[in-house]
Short mmCIF file of all heavy atoms in Angstrom, two decimals:
data_model
loop_
_atom_site.label_atom_id
_atom_site.label_comp_id
_atom_site.label_asym_id
_atom_site.label_seq_id
_atom_site.Cartn_x
_atom_site.Cartn_y
_atom_site.Cartn_z
N ARG G 155 -13.77 12.89 -0.58
CA ARG G 155 -14.47 13.51 -1.73
C ARG G 155 -15.00 14.90 -1.35
O ARG G 155 -14.86 15.86 -2.11
CB ARG G 155 -15.61 12.62 -2.21
CG ARG G 155 -15.19 11.52 -3.11
CD ARG G 155 -16.41 10.79 -3.70
NE ARG G 155 -15.98 9.55 -4.30
CZ ARG G 155 -15.85 8.39 -3.68
NH1 ARG G 155 -16.16 8.29 -2.40
NH2 ARG G 155 -15.43 7.32 -4.30
N ASP G 156 -15.60 14.99 -0.17
CA ASP G 156 -16.12 16.28 0.30
C ASP G 156 -15.00 17.30 0.49
O ASP G 156 -15.16 18.47 0.16
CB ASP G 156 -16.89 16.10 1.62
CG ASP G 156 -18.21 15.37 1.44
OD1 ASP G 156 -18.67 15.20 0.28
OD2 ASP G 156 -18.79 14.94 2.47
N LEU G 157 -13.87 16.86 1.04
CA LEU G 157 -12.73 17.76 1.25
C LEU G 157 -12.16 18.26 -0.08
O LEU G 157 -11.80 19.43 -0.22
CB LEU G 157 -11.64 17.08 2.07
CG LEU G 157 -11.98 16.81 3.53
CD1 LEU G 157 -10.93 15.89 4.16
CD2 LEU G 157 -12.11 18.11 4.31
N ILE G 158 -12.10 17.38 -1.08
CA ILE G 158 -11.61 17.77 -2.40
C ILE G 158 -12.58 18.74 -3.05
O ILE G 158 -12.17 19.75 -3.64
CB ILE G 158 -11.36 16.53 -3.27
CG1 ILE G 158 -10.13 15.76 -2.73
CG2 ILE G 158 -11.15 16.91 -4.74
CD1 ILE G 158 -9.90 14.41 -3.38
N ALA G 159 -13.88 18.48 -2.93
CA ALA G 159 -14.88 19.40 -3.48
C ALA G 159 -14.79 20.77 -2.80
O ALA G 159 -14.89 21.81 -3.47
CB ALA G 159 -16.28 18.81 -3.31
N ALA G 160 -14.57 20.77 -1.49
CA ALA G 160 -14.43 22.04 -0.76
C ALA G 160 -13.17 22.78 -1.21
O ALA G 160 -13.20 24.01 -1.39
CB ALA G 160 -14.39 21.78 0.75
N ALA G 161 -12.07 22.08 -1.42
CA ALA G 161 -10.83 22.70 -1.89
C ALA G 161 -11.04 23.34 -3.26
O ALA G 161 -10.58 24.45 -3.52
CB ALA G 161 -9.70 21.67 -1.93
N ASP G 162 -11.76 22.65 -4.11
CA ASP G 162 -12.04 23.18 -5.45
C ASP G 162 -12.93 24.42 -5.36
O ASP G 162 -12.66 25.44 -6.00
CB ASP G 162 -12.70 22.10 -6.30
CG ASP G 162 -12.76 22.47 -7.76
OD1 ASP G 162 -11.77 23.01 -8.28
OD2 ASP G 162 -13.82 22.21 -8.38
N ALA G 163 -13.98 24.35 -4.54
CA ALA G 163 -14.92 25.47 -4.41
C ALA G 163 -14.26 26.70 -3.78
O ALA G 163 -14.61 27.83 -4.12
CB ALA G 163 -16.13 25.04 -3.55
N ARG G 164 -13.29 26.47 -2.88
CA ARG G 164 -12.63 27.59 -2.21
C ARG G 164 -11.45 28.14 -3.00
O ARG G 164 -10.83 29.11 -2.57
CB ARG G 164 -12.15 27.13 -0.83
CG ARG G 164 -13.27 26.86 0.14
CD ARG G 164 -12.73 26.40 1.47
NE ARG G 164 -13.77 26.41 2.48
CZ ARG G 164 -14.07 25.35 3.24
NH1 ARG G 164 -13.40 24.23 3.12
NH2 ARG G 164 -15.03 25.45 4.12
N GLY G 165 -11.12 27.53 -4.11
CA GLY G 165 -10.02 28.02 -4.93
C GLY G 165 -8.64 27.66 -4.41
O GLY G 165 -7.67 28.34 -4.71
N TYR G 166 -8.55 26.59 -3.65
CA TYR G 166 -7.25 26.15 -3.13
C TYR G 166 -6.39 25.60 -4.26
O TYR G 166 -6.90 25.11 -5.27
CB TYR G 166 -7.43 25.06 -2.07
CG TYR G 166 -8.05 25.51 -0.77
CD1 TYR G 166 -8.52 24.57 0.13
CD2 TYR G 166 -8.16 26.85 -0.41
CE1 TYR G 166 -9.08 24.94 1.34
CE2 TYR G 166 -8.72 27.23 0.80
CZ TYR G 166 -9.18 26.27 1.67
OH TYR G 166 -9.73 26.64 2.86
N SER G 167 -5.09 25.61 -4.04
CA SER G 167 -4.14 25.12 -5.04
C SER G 167 -4.03 23.60 -5.06
O SER G 167 -3.99 22.99 -6.12
CB SER G 167 -2.74 25.69 -4.77
OG SER G 167 -2.76 27.09 -4.79
N ARG G 168 -3.93 23.00 -3.90
CA ARG G 168 -3.74 21.55 -3.80
C ARG G 168 -5.11 20.89 -3.62
O ARG G 168 -5.81 21.15 -2.67
CB ARG G 168 -2.80 21.23 -2.63
CG ARG G 168 -1.34 21.58 -2.97
CD ARG G 168 -0.51 21.89 -1.75
NE ARG G 168 -0.87 23.18 -1.15
CZ ARG G 168 -0.43 24.36 -1.61
NH1 ARG G 168 0.37 24.42 -2.64
NH2 ARG G 168 -0.81 25.48 -1.03
N LYS G 169 -5.43 20.01 -4.58
CA LYS G 169 -6.78 19.43 -4.63
C LYS G 169 -6.76 17.90 -4.70
O LYS G 169 -7.65 17.29 -5.29
CB LYS G 169 -7.55 19.98 -5.82
CG LYS G 169 -7.70 21.50 -5.77
CD LYS G 169 -8.34 22.03 -7.02
CE LYS G 169 -8.25 23.54 -7.03
NZ LYS G 169 -8.61 24.11 -8.31
N GLY G 170 -5.74 17.28 -4.14
CA GLY G 170 -5.71 15.82 -4.09
C GLY G 170 -5.37 15.15 -5.41
O GLY G 170 -5.70 13.98 -5.59
N ARG G 171 -4.71 15.88 -6.29
CA ARG G 171 -4.38 15.31 -7.60
C ARG G 171 -3.58 14.01 -7.41
O ARG G 171 -2.68 13.93 -6.59
CB ARG G 171 -3.56 16.31 -8.41
CG ARG G 171 -3.37 15.89 -9.85
CD ARG G 171 -2.58 16.88 -10.59
NE ARG G 171 -1.25 16.93 -9.95
CZ ARG G 171 -0.23 17.58 -10.42
NH1 ARG G 171 -0.34 18.30 -11.48
NH2 ARG G 171 0.93 17.55 -9.80
N GLY G 172 -3.95 13.01 -8.17
CA GLY G 172 -3.25 11.73 -8.13
C GLY G 172 -3.83 10.72 -7.15
O GLY G 172 -3.44 9.56 -7.17
N LEU G 173 -4.76 11.14 -6.31
CA LEU G 173 -5.37 10.20 -5.37
C LEU G 173 -6.49 9.44 -6.07
O LEU G 173 -7.32 10.04 -6.74
CB LEU G 173 -5.93 10.93 -4.15
CG LEU G 173 -4.90 11.59 -3.24
CD1 LEU G 173 -5.60 12.44 -2.20
CD2 LEU G 173 -4.02 10.55 -2.58
N ASP G 174 -6.50 8.14 -5.91
CA ASP G 174 -7.54 7.30 -6.51
C ASP G 174 -8.65 7.10 -5.48
O ASP G 174 -8.53 6.30 -4.56
CB ASP G 174 -6.95 5.96 -6.93
CG ASP G 174 -7.94 5.09 -7.68
OD1 ASP G 174 -9.15 5.38 -7.66
OD2 ASP G 174 -7.49 4.10 -8.29
N LEU G 175 -9.73 7.86 -5.65
CA LEU G 175 -10.83 7.80 -4.68
C LEU G 175 -11.64 6.51 -4.79
O LEU G 175 -12.38 6.16 -3.87
CB LEU G 175 -11.74 9.01 -4.84
CG LEU G 175 -11.06 10.35 -4.57
CD1 LEU G 175 -12.04 11.49 -4.80
CD2 LEU G 175 -10.50 10.41 -3.19
N GLU G 176 -11.51 5.83 -5.90
CA GLU G 176 -12.24 4.56 -6.06
C GLU G 176 -11.49 3.42 -5.37
O GLU G 176 -12.10 2.56 -4.76
CB GLU G 176 -12.43 4.24 -7.55
CG GLU G 176 -13.24 5.29 -8.30
CD GLU G 176 -14.58 5.59 -7.65
OE1 GLU G 176 -15.28 4.64 -7.24
OE2 GLU G 176 -14.93 6.77 -7.53
N ALA G 177 -10.16 3.42 -5.47
CA ALA G 177 -9.37 2.34 -4.88
C ALA G 177 -9.06 2.59 -3.42
O ALA G 177 -8.90 1.66 -2.64
CB ALA G 177 -8.06 2.16 -5.66
N GLY G 178 -8.98 3.87 -3.02
CA GLY G 178 -8.63 4.19 -1.64
C GLY G 178 -9.70 3.77 -0.65
O GLY G 178 -10.89 4.01 -0.87
N LYS G 179 -9.28 3.14 0.41
CA LYS G 179 -10.21 2.70 1.45
C LYS G 179 -10.02 3.51 2.73
O LYS G 179 -10.97 3.79 3.44
CB LYS G 179 -9.99 1.21 1.72
CG LYS G 179 -10.98 0.61 2.67
CD LYS G 179 -10.83 -0.89 2.73
CE LYS G 179 -11.86 -1.48 3.67
NZ LYS G 179 -11.76 -2.93 3.76
N THR G 180 -8.78 3.86 3.01
CA THR G 180 -8.42 4.64 4.19
C THR G 180 -7.48 5.75 3.76
O THR G 180 -6.55 5.51 3.00
CB THR G 180 -7.71 3.75 5.23
OG1 THR G 180 -8.53 2.63 5.54
CG2 THR G 180 -7.40 4.53 6.50
N PHE G 181 -7.72 6.97 4.26
CA PHE G 181 -6.87 8.11 3.92
C PHE G 181 -6.35 8.73 5.21
O PHE G 181 -7.13 9.12 6.07
CB PHE G 181 -7.66 9.15 3.12
CG PHE G 181 -8.17 8.63 1.81
CD1 PHE G 181 -9.44 8.07 1.71
CD2 PHE G 181 -7.38 8.68 0.68
CE1 PHE G 181 -9.92 7.58 0.51
CE2 PHE G 181 -7.85 8.19 -0.54
CZ PHE G 181 -9.12 7.63 -0.62
N ALA G 182 -5.04 8.78 5.35
CA ALA G 182 -4.39 9.43 6.49
C ALA G 182 -4.00 10.83 6.05
O ALA G 182 -3.46 11.02 4.96
CB ALA G 182 -3.17 8.64 6.93
N ILE G 183 -4.28 11.81 6.89
CA ILE G 183 -4.04 13.21 6.54
C ILE G 183 -3.06 13.81 7.55
O ILE G 183 -3.29 13.78 8.76
CB ILE G 183 -5.36 14.00 6.52
CG1 ILE G 183 -6.28 13.38 5.44
CG2 ILE G 183 -5.11 15.48 6.28
CD1 ILE G 183 -7.66 13.93 5.42
N VAL G 184 -1.96 14.36 7.00
CA VAL G 184 -0.89 14.91 7.82
C VAL G 184 -0.67 16.37 7.41
O VAL G 184 -0.17 16.63 6.31
CB VAL G 184 0.42 14.11 7.63
CG1 VAL G 184 1.54 14.68 8.49
CG2 VAL G 184 0.20 12.63 7.92
N PRO G 185 -1.05 17.35 8.25
CA PRO G 185 -0.79 18.75 7.91
C PRO G 185 0.71 19.03 7.97
O PRO G 185 1.41 18.51 8.83
CB PRO G 185 -1.54 19.53 8.98
CG PRO G 185 -1.74 18.58 10.10
CD PRO G 185 -1.72 17.20 9.54
N TYR G 186 1.19 19.85 7.00
CA TYR G 186 2.62 20.15 7.01
C TYR G 186 2.94 21.63 6.92
O TYR G 186 4.08 22.02 7.15
CB TYR G 186 3.37 19.38 5.91
CG TYR G 186 2.98 19.71 4.49
CD1 TYR G 186 3.59 20.76 3.80
CD2 TYR G 186 2.03 18.95 3.83
CE1 TYR G 186 3.24 21.06 2.50
CE2 TYR G 186 1.68 19.23 2.52
CZ TYR G 186 2.29 20.28 1.86
OH TYR G 186 1.95 20.55 0.55
N LEU G 187 1.98 22.49 6.60
CA LEU G 187 2.27 23.92 6.53
C LEU G 187 0.96 24.70 6.56
O LEU G 187 -0.03 24.29 5.96
CB LEU G 187 3.04 24.25 5.24
CG LEU G 187 3.64 25.65 5.12
CD1 LEU G 187 4.67 25.91 6.20
CD2 LEU G 187 4.28 25.83 3.75
N GLN G 188 0.99 25.85 7.24
CA GLN G 188 -0.17 26.74 7.29
C GLN G 188 -0.19 27.61 6.05
O GLN G 188 0.85 27.92 5.49
CB GLN G 188 -0.07 27.66 8.51
CG GLN G 188 0.13 26.95 9.80
CD GLN G 188 0.71 27.87 10.86
OE1 GLN G 188 0.90 29.05 10.67
NE2 GLN G 188 1.02 27.29 12.00
N GLU G 189 -1.39 27.98 5.64
CA GLU G 189 -1.54 28.89 4.51
C GLU G 189 -2.65 29.88 4.86
O GLU G 189 -3.61 29.52 5.54
CB GLU G 189 -1.88 28.12 3.23
CG GLU G 189 -1.86 28.97 2.01
CD GLU G 189 -1.82 28.15 0.74
OE1 GLU G 189 -2.64 27.24 0.60
OE2 GLU G 189 -0.96 28.45 -0.10
N SER G 190 -2.52 31.12 4.38
CA SER G 190 -3.53 32.12 4.71
C SER G 190 -4.31 32.61 3.50
O SER G 190 -5.24 33.40 3.65
CB SER G 190 -2.86 33.32 5.40
OG SER G 190 -1.89 33.89 4.55
N SER G 191 -3.97 32.17 2.32
CA SER G 191 -4.66 32.65 1.12
C SER G 191 -5.17 31.47 0.31
O SER G 191 -4.42 30.52 0.08
CB SER G 191 -3.68 33.48 0.27
OG SER G 191 -4.30 33.91 -0.90
N PRO G 192 -6.41 31.43 -0.07
CA PRO G 192 -7.41 32.49 0.05
C PRO G 192 -8.03 32.60 1.44
O PRO G 192 -8.74 33.56 1.73
CB PRO G 192 -8.47 32.08 -0.97
CG PRO G 192 -8.34 30.62 -1.12
CD PRO G 192 -6.90 30.30 -0.86
N GLU G 193 -7.78 31.63 2.34
CA GLU G 193 -8.24 31.71 3.72
C GLU G 193 -7.33 30.82 4.57
O GLU G 193 -6.55 30.04 4.03
CB GLU G 193 -9.70 31.26 3.85
CG GLU G 193 -9.91 29.80 3.47
CD GLU G 193 -11.37 29.40 3.42
OE1 GLU G 193 -12.25 30.27 3.47
OE2 GLU G 193 -11.62 28.20 3.34
N ASP G 194 -7.45 30.92 5.88
CA ASP G 194 -6.61 30.10 6.76
C ASP G 194 -6.90 28.62 6.52
O ASP G 194 -8.05 28.17 6.62
CB ASP G 194 -6.87 30.46 8.22
CG ASP G 194 -6.31 31.82 8.60
OD1 ASP G 194 -5.55 32.39 7.79
OD2 ASP G 194 -6.65 32.30 9.70
N SER G 195 -5.84 27.90 6.20
CA SER G 195 -5.99 26.48 5.90
C SER G 195 -4.66 25.77 6.16
O SER G 195 -3.66 26.41 6.49
CB SER G 195 -6.41 26.29 4.44
OG SER G 195 -5.43 26.85 3.56
N TRP G 196 -4.69 24.46 6.02
CA TRP G 196 -3.49 23.64 6.15
C TRP G 196 -3.19 23.01 4.80
O TRP G 196 -4.07 22.47 4.14
CB TRP G 196 -3.71 22.52 7.16
CG TRP G 196 -3.80 22.98 8.58
CD1 TRP G 196 -4.92 23.06 9.35
CD2 TRP G 196 -2.72 23.44 9.39
NE1 TRP G 196 -4.60 23.54 10.58
CE2 TRP G 196 -3.24 23.79 10.64
CE3 TRP G 196 -1.35 23.61 9.17
CZ2 TRP G 196 -2.47 24.28 11.68
CZ3 TRP G 196 -0.58 24.09 10.21
CH2 TRP G 196 -1.13 24.42 11.44
N MET G 197 -1.92 23.03 4.43
CA MET G 197 -1.44 22.20 3.33
C MET G 197 -1.22 20.82 3.96
O MET G 197 -0.56 20.72 5.00
CB MET G 197 -0.12 22.72 2.77
CG MET G 197 -0.22 24.07 2.12
SD MET G 197 1.45 24.51 1.56
CE MET G 197 1.24 26.28 1.38
N CYS G 198 -1.78 19.80 3.33
CA CYS G 198 -1.72 18.47 3.94
C CYS G 198 -1.20 17.43 2.95
O CYS G 198 -1.48 17.51 1.75
CB CYS G 198 -3.11 18.02 4.41
SG CYS G 198 -3.82 19.07 5.69
N LEU G 199 -0.46 16.48 3.49
CA LEU G 199 -0.08 15.29 2.74
C LEU G 199 -1.15 14.25 3.02
O LEU G 199 -1.52 14.04 4.18
CB LEU G 199 1.28 14.79 3.20
CG LEU G 199 1.83 13.55 2.52
CD1 LEU G 199 2.08 13.82 1.03
CD2 LEU G 199 3.12 13.10 3.19
#
């Protein structure tokens, strides 16, 4: 939830759309590409 809120506040494109935060118990995060805009970040699955 905090990561999604941070993505929204920073103006990132990918914001966890489709993830059910109520049903999800464990979330595995796999970075797949670097991005530099609006700041250095990882695109993650």
Side-chain angles (χ1 to χ4, degrees):
R155 278 188 193 87
D156 290 347
L157 291 169
I158 290 171
D162 191 42
R164 291 179 168 127
Y166 291 166
S167 302
R168 286 154 288 280
K169 300 175 189 169
R171 190 180 63 171
L173 293 172
D174 186 346
L175 298 178
E176 299 306 316
K179 186 171 181 180
T180 304
F181 298 93
I183 299 173
V184 180
Y186 63 88
L187 191 62
Q188 307 159 4
E189 188 165 50
S190 60
S191 178
E193 64 187 11
D194 289 348
S195 60
W196 290 107
M197 295 179 199
C198 298
L199 179 64

